[in-house]
Amino acid sequence: MNKVTLLILLLMSINAHAQHVFRAIVKDSLSQQPIVNVSVSEGKNKRSLSSDNGKVLFSDLQAGKHLIVFSLEGYDAKEIQITLPDTTWHVILLKAKQKELAEVTVIASSRNNLRMENSPLKVEVLGKEELEEENTIKPGNIASLLSDVSGIQIQQSSAVSGNANVRIQGLEGRYTQLLRDGVPLFDGFSGGFGVLQIPPLDLKQVELIKGCASTLYGSGAIGGLINLISKQPVEQQEAVATLNQTSLKESNVNLYASKRYNHFGYTFFTGLTHQNAADVNKDGFSDVPTLHSVVVHPRLFFYPNEKTKIIAGYTGTFENRLGGDMKVIGNKSDEIHRFFERNNIDRHSAELSLDHTFAKSDRLSVRASLSSFTRGISTADLYFKGRQVSYFTEAAVMVPFSKNSVVAGLNVSGNLFKKLPSDPIALNNFQNNTIGAFAHFTAWLPGNSTFELGLRGDHDNFGNFLLPRVALLHRFNDVWAARLGIGFSYKSPNPLAPQNIDYPIETIQPLPAGIKAERSLGYNAEVNYKKTIGENSSLFINHAFFFTEVRQPIVTIQLPDESVVFNNATKAINTKGLDTYIQLTLNGWEVYAGYTLTVAERKYLTTNQFLPLTTKHRVAFTLVKEFEEHWRFGLEGSYTGSQYRDNESKTPGYVFFAAMVERKFGKYVSLVLNTENLLDYRQSRYESLYTGTITNPTFKPLWAPIEGRVINMSLRIGLL
């Protein structure tokens, strides 16, 4: 054997025994985003985990063929055959299991379907467990569920009708944008009772963004946005019924069913609510109005192929509310007892959407909606009926490349308010139409950082708006992370936008000529700590700082003749503070505790600059424990600090407690007993709810509960 042959054999032997490295990046097949902590194995003993950026470096492998297995809970396992040496970076796409797609895994509000832990934009998610629990506690709507989140306040704006709006970080409800599956919902005239007409059983998750978010979805999100994500069908038949009865004589029946077949699927929800009027404090006026409500929401899903999904749906809400003098409600009115307010509401919404994924994982999304909201308002002195028609269309694309992605799109939206035949009021018909374009760039930077740059341009009846936004997420390690963000928002004027107080519609005046849109600038910064404690326990701590400045804010003024007028203030509204919450799971215990400090000031005033009915200090907690898979116990509490009124007086702080116990009977049946406001704290215990006479009362702004202690029992039945 010659020397050349010996040398070749020697090199082959060295190569065969050399140690080689396998390189891969693991991504979600749908979102194209890296997946953390994927188990990567070769043989029985060699195992590795993907890093925060999805990378895998599998060393100490011999030359030759190897079978590499990728697995993670919630995903289908994947095997690939490789031959080493190989210097290629392999891109591994894992597909989420069909069952897991129904769980909270990605957030839709970021538009690029990032996982929550990877999003530079802070998005808080109320998922399946919270919504299922709320369905057995407050099945009629999600208002109570939202009030449990730190930094969010549900403020009742009318003692007569029960109307309420959502306030985020101290700002008034008109600065909160409500969405359903990314489509703007209630605003202006149609904003009345909006959050009170959305049952939890129909929802997959609720996504909350606190702070300026108009760059994502346009006008309205100065305080933040709430995106309600509807359920979608899975292959396993689902059918659920909930029956509920309260001590305040409220009855609820909710039904939900869904199923996905090969190329077709459906979801169907219907909810019925009946509430008798109740005078809790015995002052002669209803603290809870009479309510008859029906909600229907059918949706059809079409899957022409694996990459295309088409959704067509309809939502109908039909509601009759009657509040006021209890004798009028009981059909015993006379010359003295004549005060009442009746609201008849018909809301019709149609939706159509298409999502298509191309060969290179580019995605096209097209969606459209058309909504008609009709409301009739009857009082002792007035009958008014009006209609608001709203439309929304959007086309957007998401293009992933390398580890980055770009989302861009165009949208056209608008609304028209029209008076229908009824008594005359000062308001005229009005409309506003908007055309907008947006783009968002998300980049995975070296050093475990994710950067997002967004830009929106809108044009509507009130001018042009350029809205940039920048956000950054940095992971120091597996435990610590931080976010920073800054963004611009705006809110177009609307005389019927939600207020802290529901003014009678006949007192509201048209917008003055030359009124300008409100503009805002917001900052946020936060630090996260996340630690796994053993096999079934974990700790998560979030500490955030926020600041929002609303420039040229629209101020509402009620004149001595009770007419309500609007104008732009010369100086800003500022809200700032901090928001801290802790989530702990420990040996079956689930604990949530949050504290929010909010300083909200009207800089355009020289005295009493504090924004009225805004608490500076709020503390809240929930505690849940499941025992032996059959019993579940929960305790909830909060402290709401004092609030300023417009006359510089302050309200007292108060404590709120609630408790629930659940008994499960097998897999499909559960019975829940729940008590809200255990201490029976009511504003009426501190002061009268109205001034004036019983014939012509003036109701005070509400800063605490008025319905008192409420006990409810619900039965949840999984029909399949």
Side-chain angles (χ1 to χ4, degrees):
M1 186 178 296
N2 57 41
K3 294 181 179 180
V4 175
T5 302
L6 286 172
L7 181 59
I8 292 174
L9 291 174
L10 179 61
L11 290 173
M12 291 177 62
S13 176
I14 293 173
N15 184 64
H17 291 86
Q19 294 180 342
H20 298 278
V21 178
F22 167 71
R23 302 170 178 83
I25 299 176
V26 189
K27 296 183 178 182
D28 185 291
S29 63
L30 178 64
S31 68
Q32 292 293 305
Q33 298 303 323
I35 307 177
V36 181
N37 292 331
V38 175
S39 175
V40 186
S41 60
E42 189 278 335
K44 295 182 179 180
N45 300 316
K46 298 183 181 298
R47 183 176 297 273
S48 182
L49 294 175
S50 60
S51 64
D52 285 338
N53 54 17
K55 288 185 177 181
V56 177
L57 293 175
F58 210 149
S59 58
D60 301 332
L61 297 177
Q62 301 296 324
K65 293 184 177 181
H66 296 267
L67 180 67
I68 309 295
V69 180
F70 300 82
S71 60
L72 179 66
E73 184 179 357
Y75 286 88
D76 293 328
K78 187 167 186 177
E79 299 179 352
I80 66 168
Q81 187 85 37
I82 62 167
T83 301
L84 295 179
D86 181 355
T87 59
T88 305
W89 278 95
H90 296 266
V91 178
I92 310 300
L93 300 179
L94 295 188
K95 183 179 180 181
K97 294 179 180 178
Q98 183 65 39
K99 180 180 178 181
E100 297 300 325
L101 290 176
E103 306 294 332
V104 177
T105 55
V106 296
I107 52 176
S109 299
S110 65
R111 288 192 176 273
N112 50 18
N113 282 352
L114 283 172
R115 286 179 172 271
M116 186 167 56
E117 64 269 20
N118 293 333
S119 174
L121 178 69
K122 180 184 179 181
V123 182
E124 297 178 40
V125 176
L126 302 174
K128 179 181 178 182
E129 183 176 335
E130 289 92 341
L131 288 163
E132 287 183 349
E133 180 178 311
E134 191 68 10
N135 174 55
T136 57
I137 296 175
K138 292 279 190 176
N141 60 71
I142 60 170
S144 177
L145 174 66
L146 295 175
S147 68
D148 294 337
V149 180
S150 62
I152 292 183
Q153 176 186 354
I154 302 297
Q155 182 174 9
Q156 188 170 336
S157 54
S158 172
V160 180
S161 68
N163 196 9
N165 56 72
V166 186
R167 303 180 62 183
I168 300 179
Q169 293 180 345
L171 289 169
E172 294 183 6
R174 71 175 187 269
Y175 298 121
T176 299
Q177 187 178 44
L178 285 175
L179 310 168
R180 179 120 190 196
D181 301 314
V183 175
L185 278 182
F186 314 129
D187 193 19
F189 191 55
S190 70
F193 309 103
V195 74
L196 302 178
Q197 296 177 330
I198 304 169
L201 181 59
D202 197 24
L203 300 176
K204 169 189 173 183
Q205 63 192 49
V206 177
E207 300 176 358
L208 305 104
I209 299 176
K210 301 172 185 175
C212 296
S214 285
T215 306
L216 290 169
Y217 294 99
S219 171
I222 287 179
L225 67 82
I226 299 172
N227 194 4
L228 311 170
I229 309 300
S230 302
K231 288 181 178 178
Q232 297 199 17
V234 294
E235 293 178 358
Q236 183 177 357
Q237 176 74 60
E238 183 178 4
V240 178
T242 303
L243 310 175
N244 180 67
Q245 181 65 45
T246 79
S247 58
L248 278 183
K249 300 180 182 179
E250 177 184 352
S251 305
N252 310 93
V253 179
N254 287 347
L255 301 171
Y256 174 82
S258 71
K259 169 72 173 173
R260 175 174 175 174
Y261 302 92
N262 225 359
H263 297 288
F264 168 77
Y266 77 91
T267 63
F268 177 79
F269 170 84
T270 185
L272 295 86
T273 297
H274 172 76
Q275 167 74 65
N276 288 331
D279 179 12
V280 179
N281 63 340
K282 308 302 180 184
D283 65 354
F285 292 105
S286 61
D287 297 299
V288 179
T290 294
L291 170 64
H292 307 284
S293 173
V294 178
V295 180
V296 292
H297 186 207
R299 304 174 88 202
L300 300 178
F301 297 74
F302 303 95
Y303 311 94
N305 52 59
E306 291 185 355
K307 296 181 178 294
T308 305
K309 176 172 61 178
I310 301 171
I311 305 174
Y314 163 79
T315 304
T317 303
F318 313 96
E319 189 171 281
N320 184 315
R321 289 175 177 260
L322 174 61
D325 193 308
M326 292 296 291
K327 288 194 174 182
V328 177
I329 296 173
N331 295 317
K332 297 179 180 179
S333 60
D334 54 35
E335 292 183 358
I336 296 176
H337 298 277
R338 58 190 302 269
F339 177 84
F340 74 95
E341 180 182 319
R342 182 188 296 275
N343 286 271
N344 289 308
I345 295 172
D346 288 343
R347 192 192 298 270
H348 303 270
S349 300
E351 61 168 314
L352 183 65
S353 67
L354 179 147
D355 290 283
H356 179 75
T357 303
F358 296 94
K360 295 183 178 180
S361 298
D362 300 350
R363 292 207 314 275
L364 169 67
S365 174
V366 180
R367 60 193 75 247
S369 71
L370 179 64
S371 175
S372 172
F373 174 84
T374 303
R375 178 182 174 190
I377 305 172
S378 303
T379 69
D381 303 311
L382 175 83
Y383 171 70
F384 173 78
K385 190 173 186 179
R387 175 179 295 136
Q388 178 173 305
V389 176
S390 305
Y391 69 91
F392 177 85
T393 59
E394 178 185 275
V397 294
M398 197 278 281
V399 180
F401 58 95
S402 183
K403 295 186 295 180
N404 310 317
S405 66
V406 171
V407 178
L410 298 168
N411 63 267
V412 180
S413 61
N415 61 78
L416 167 66
F417 169 75
K418 183 179 181 180
K419 297 186 292 184
L420 299 178
S422 54
D423 295 342
I425 63 172
L427 272 178
N428 299 317
N429 298 342
F430 61 87
Q431 63 178 322
N432 188 21
N433 300 288
T434 305
I435 181 170
F438 60 89
H440 298 275
F441 170 65
T442 304
W444 294 73
L445 305 178
N448 290 331
S449 294
T450 311
F451 172 78
E452 191 166 85
L453 174 65
L455 181 66
R456 169 181 282 273
D458 276 2
H459 170 77
D460 71 5
N461 297 29
F462 296 93
N464 300 309
F465 307 92
L466 192 64
L467 308 169
R469 180 176 63 83
V470 177
L472 176 69
L473 167 68
H474 177 71
R475 292 187 174 278
F476 299 98
N477 49 45
D478 292 338
V479 176
W480 291 96
R483 282 187 179 93
L484 297 171
I486 178 174
F488 291 79
S489 293
Y490 77 102
K491 171 69 175 176
S492 294
N494 190 316
L496 295 174
Q499 303 284 340
N500 282 346
I501 303 172
D502 282 0
Y503 296 104
I505 195 166
E506 66 270 22
T507 66
I508 299 175
Q509 305 300 302
L511 295 174
I515 195 167
K516 299 177 181 179
E518 301 171 277
R519 299 173 184 258
S520 71
L521 171 64
Y523 305 86
N524 70 277
E526 67 174 83
V527 178
N528 295 329
Y529 176 87
K530 185 176 182 179
K531 182 71 173 178
T532 300
I533 310 170
E535 185 176 349
N536 299 313
S537 302
S538 63
L539 173 66
F540 179 78
I541 303 174
N542 176 273
H543 184 70
F545 302 89
F546 61 87
F547 173 83
T548 301
E549 180 180 70
V550 183
R551 300 165 181 171
Q552 57 196 34
I554 295 176
V555 179
T556 305
I557 301 174
Q558 189 165 26
L559 301 178
D561 64 357
E562 296 189 350
S563 60
V564 177
V565 298
F566 307 90
N567 60 59
N568 291 108
T570 56
K571 293 186 179 181
I573 293 174
N574 290 344
T575 65
K576 57 188 175 182
L578 57 88
D579 187 5
T580 301
Y581 67 89
I582 299 171
Q583 291 175 308
L584 172 67
T585 60
L586 184 63
N587 299 325
W589 290 89
E590 300 175 23
V591 181
Y592 171 91
Y595 167 70
T596 304
L597 168 69
T598 305
V599 179
E601 298 174 312
R602 300 171 290 181
K603 294 298 185 181
Y604 57 83
L605 296 179
T606 55
T607 60
N608 192 26
Q609 291 185 337
F610 292 101
L611 202 64
L613 305 181
T614 303
T615 179
K616 184 176 182 179
H617 303 283
R618 188 173 189 273
V619 181
F621 78 90
T622 59
L623 177 67
V624 179
K625 170 65 174 176
E626 187 167 333
F627 298 91
E628 300 178 354
E629 299 183 357
H630 295 296
W631 290 93
R632 193 163 183 260
F633 169 79
L635 180 66
E636 173 187 314
S638 66
Y639 168 75
T640 300
S642 61
Q643 306 165 51
Y644 278 92
R645 297 186 179 92
D646 261 326
N647 61 6
E648 299 192 31
S649 65
K650 294 176 68 175
T651 69
Y654 65 91
V655 176
F656 180 96
F657 283 105
M660 60 83 69
V661 60
E662 178 181 15
R663 175 65 165 94
K664 297 179 181 179
F665 301 90
K667 184 178 180 181
Y668 297 108
V669 179
S670 64
L671 187 66
V672 173
L673 177 64
N674 177 68
T675 304
E676 297 287 309
N677 198 353
L678 279 166
L679 302 181
D680 196 23
Y681 188 88
R682 290 179 264 133
Q683 182 173 333
S684 57
R685 291 187 182 277
Y686 179 79
E687 62 182 3
S688 173
L689 296 182
Y690 74 95
T691 60
T693 66
I694 198 166
T695 304
N696 188 28
T698 299
F699 287 87
K700 297 178 180 178
L702 300 179
W703 48 265
I706 63 173
E707 69 275 10
R709 184 186 299 114
V710 182
I711 302 172
N712 76 286
M713 178 170 286
S714 67
L715 177 66
R716 183 185 185 276
I717 305 172
L719 303 178
L720 291 172

